């Protein structure tokens, strides 16, 4: 175990050493999204195998990344999923004061990339695997670990499809993203797209003979800005979100090679973050229709000119309910009488779309996630530990 300062000893006394060891081991694994996560998956698979638990593994196309799904209590009625993603965001260019993979414990906090988002939850769930396995609860507990959540919730789609193919129909799902152990019942969707514009280059003194890709891209970007202003002005509010309406924004733009050359190519990326009550697919269709209307004029000058759109990710919004049985269960286990909404996206919308009642609840705060010196407090881990122990003793989610 990494070094522990004296001020951490009291908090440490309430958290299982086994859980801390597992969390530190997971944090010390570099699972940034552009890397493989197989070392972590194999580690968890081996830990479960020691308990006699088999794991279902689904992989990406080139077999460099994998999901893991395991049932603790095989043969019991449909169970509750504990869901976590194994990948983390990078730390390049961030001003860390310690090694991002050190898993250092200091001043009541466990530091490291992914400690908060979301290896603290995964490690705590794994630490209780034996307890879940031997629980008298009439339902199983399923452990679901995914890859590439941070780049668009890519892996969990394969995991859910495999689960359905196997005839596994869980009662509910708890996604352990950092909510400070307050159950969250909704978040916005995240829909990202890339638009490549092909024009026709020419000397800048001969603009009528050209199609300016940057200018045509700018027209679509202007449309996106108009839509964003429309959401802000007239979309029905969903109170509880920091921004209680849908948003649209452009995040990247590239184009042009010289001041005196009409640009042939331009590329930009944009996103919609839609309320659970709004339809992001319809938003994208509106953009496509606008571009289609602009394209004929471009092709009169250059038949090859036009727009090409590519989907980067489509992560559906999540809308649960404070009245759902899984939400009430999470409140009881977390000792909370309130619920919350979160601004960030999670895999919850995909589980809910698969027909599984879902809630988001996990240790740590999103304000620490993705930041330099990311941490999860030992107090939050202690609350998550109590949550897991309560789940072991639960007889029904009703």
């Amino acid at each position: 175990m990494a070094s522990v300062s004296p001020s951490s000893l009291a908090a440490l006394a309430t958290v299982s050493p086994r859980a801390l060891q597992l969390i530190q081991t997971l944090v010390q694994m570099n699972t940034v999204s552009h890397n493989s996560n197989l070392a972590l998956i194999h580690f968890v698979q081996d830990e479960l195998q020691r308990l006699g638990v088999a794991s279902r593994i689904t992989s990406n196309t080139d077999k460099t990344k994998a999901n893991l799904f395991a049932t603790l209590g095989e043969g019991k009625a449909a169970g509750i999923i504990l869901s976590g993603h194994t990948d983390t965001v990078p730390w390049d260019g961030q001003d860390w004061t310690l090694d991002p993979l050190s898993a250092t414990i200091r001043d009541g906090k466990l530091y490291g990339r992914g400690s908060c988002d979301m290896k603290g939850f995964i490690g705590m769930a794994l630490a209780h695997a034996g307890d879940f396995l031997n629980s008298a609860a009439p339902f199983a507990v399923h452990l679901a670990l995914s890859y590439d959540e941070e780049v668009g919730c890519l892996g969990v789609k394969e995991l859910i499809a495999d689960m359905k193919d196997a005839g596994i129909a869980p009662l509910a799902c708890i996604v352990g993203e950092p909510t400070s152990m307050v159950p969250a019942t909704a978040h916005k969707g995240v829909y990202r797209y890339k638009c490549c514009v092909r024009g026709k280059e020419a000397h800048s003194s001969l603009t009528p003979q050209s199609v300016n890709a940057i200018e045509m891209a700018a027209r679509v970007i202007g449309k996106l800005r108009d839509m964003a202003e429309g959401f802000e002005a007239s979309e029905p509010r969903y109170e509880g979100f920091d921004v209680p309406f849908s948003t649209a924004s452009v995040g990247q733009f590239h184009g042009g090679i010289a001041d005196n050359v009409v640009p042939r190519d331009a590329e930009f990326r944009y996103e919609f973050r839609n309320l659970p009550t709004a339809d992001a697919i319809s938003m994208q269709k509106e953009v496509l229709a606008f571009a289609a209307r602009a394209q004929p004029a471009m092709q009169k000058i250059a038949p090859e000119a036009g727009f090409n759109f590519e989907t980067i990710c489509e992560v559906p919004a999540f809308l649960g309910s404070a009245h759902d049985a899984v939400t009430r269960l999470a409140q009881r286990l977390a000792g909370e009488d309130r619920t919350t909404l979160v601004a960030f996206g999670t895999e919850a919308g995909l589980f809910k779309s698969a027909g599984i009642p879902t809630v988001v609840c996990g240790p740590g705060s999103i304000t620490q996630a993705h930041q330099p010196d990311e941490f999860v407090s030992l107090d939050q881990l202690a609350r998550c530990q109590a949550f897991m122990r309560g789940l072991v003793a639960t007889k029904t989610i009703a």
Side-chain angles (χ1 to χ4, degrees):
M1 183 179 292
S3 61
V4 181
S5 65
S7 59
S8 299
L9 292 177
L12 273 172
T14 63
V15 181
S16 155
R18 169 67 171 159
L20 281 176
Q21 180 187 43
L22 287 170
I23 295 167
Q24 288 181 294
T25 298
L26 298 180
V27 170
Q28 288 163 352
M29 296 178 180
N30 186 342
T31 56
V32 172
S33 298
H34 57 247
N35 295 334
S36 172
N37 73 333
L38 292 182
L40 187 152
I41 292 296
H42 292 156
F43 172 80
V44 174
Q45 186 177 21
D46 290 345
E47 289 292 316
L48 295 174
Q49 185 61 48
R50 291 189 184 95
L51 298 173
V53 176
S55 301
R56 298 182 65 86
I57 303 296
T58 51
S59 303
N60 63 348
T61 303
D62 58 7
K63 308 297 184 184
T64 58
K65 300 180 181 182
N67 304 304
L68 179 148
F69 187 92
T71 298
L72 304 168
E74 194 73 46
K76 291 184 179 180
I80 297 175
I81 296 174
L82 298 178
S83 168
H85 65 81
T86 61
D87 61 319
T88 71
V89 296
W91 56 84
D92 304 307
Q94 291 188 329
D95 188 18
W96 284 71
T97 63
L98 41 73
D99 180 352
L101 299 177
S102 65
T104 298
I105 295 175
R106 178 190 301 158
D107 299 326
K109 301 170 184 176
L110 194 161
Y111 289 89
R113 177 57 85 223
S115 57
C116 171
D117 184 19
M118 53 186 297
K119 293 178 178 179
F121 178 84
I122 293 172
M124 192 61 73
L126 183 59
H128 289 80
D131 297 325
F132 292 133
L133 189 63
N134 297 315
S135 169
F139 54 82
V141 170
H142 307 290
L143 185 61
L145 306 183
S146 64
Y147 67 85
D148 280 359
E149 187 271 353
E150 296 288 5
V151 294
C153 295
L154 305 182
V156 72
K157 297 176 182 179
E158 302 298 326
L159 185 150
I160 291 172
D162 178 71
M163 187 176 65
K164 285 189 169 183
D165 288 345
I168 301 169
L171 295 167
C173 177
I174 299 169
V175 178
E177 292 275 8
T179 64
S180 299
M181 296 306 298
V182 179
T185 58
H187 65 66
K188 291 182 178 181
V190 183
Y191 289 73
R192 292 197 180 107
Y193 304 96
K194 178 171 73 172
C195 178
C196 296
V197 186
R198 172 55 59 90
K200 183 178 185 299
E201 61 193 351
H203 192 282
S204 60
S205 65
L206 301 172
T207 55
Q209 300 173 19
S210 69
V211 177
N212 190 313
I214 288 179
E215 291 176 359
M216 299 311 297
R219 291 188 180 182
V220 180
I221 291 171
K223 170 63 176 175
L224 287 163
R225 183 59 197 163
D226 290 342
M227 292 175 68
E229 291 175 354
F231 300 150
E232 184 172 3
S234 59
E235 188 177 46
R237 282 356 189 203
Y238 197 118
E239 298 304 331
F241 284 109
D242 292 340
V243 179
F245 48 85
S246 300
T247 59
S249 63
V250 176
Q252 295 187 55
F253 188 99
H254 308 280
I257 60 172
D259 293 344
N260 59 353
V261 178
V262 176
R264 184 191 69 174
D265 295 298
E267 174 190 308
F268 62 96
R269 298 186 179 211
Y270 61 97
E271 72 169 23
F272 297 109
R273 289 188 178 259
N274 62 298
L275 291 175
T277 49
D279 184 354
I281 298 299
S282 293
M283 296 173 187
Q284 174 64 357
K285 287 180 179 178
E286 187 174 340
V287 175
L288 296 177
F290 179 89
R293 291 193 294 272
Q295 194 161 275
M298 300 165 64
Q299 293 178 340
K300 282 184 179 179
I301 299 171
E304 71 277 12
F307 300 90
N308 181 60
F309 290 85
E310 176 184 330
T311 299
I312 297 173
C313 72
E314 293 181 335
V315 180
F318 165 59
L319 182 58
S321 169
H323 303 294
D324 288 344
V326 68
T327 304
R328 297 197 303 270
L329 172 65
Q331 286 178 291
R332 293 197 303 273
L333 297 179
E336 284 285 346
D337 59 4
R338 59 187 172 129
T339 61
T340 189
L341 311 180
V342 292
F344 54 91
T346 79
E347 296 170 336
L350 290 160
F351 283 108
K352 179 71 184 294
S353 297
I356 304 170
T358 300
V359 70
V360 183
C361 187
S365 168
I366 197 64
T367 58
Q368 276 92 52
H370 299 194
Q371 300 300 306
D373 290 352
E374 177 182 342
F375 69 86
V376 61
S377 74
L378 298 181
D379 287 340
Q380 282 286 301
L381 291 179
R383 288 192 62 185
C384 186
Q385 177 176 268
F387 186 103
M388 297 295 175
R389 290 176 175 174
L391 183 58
V392 169
T394 296
K395 296 298 186 289
T396 175
I397 72 165

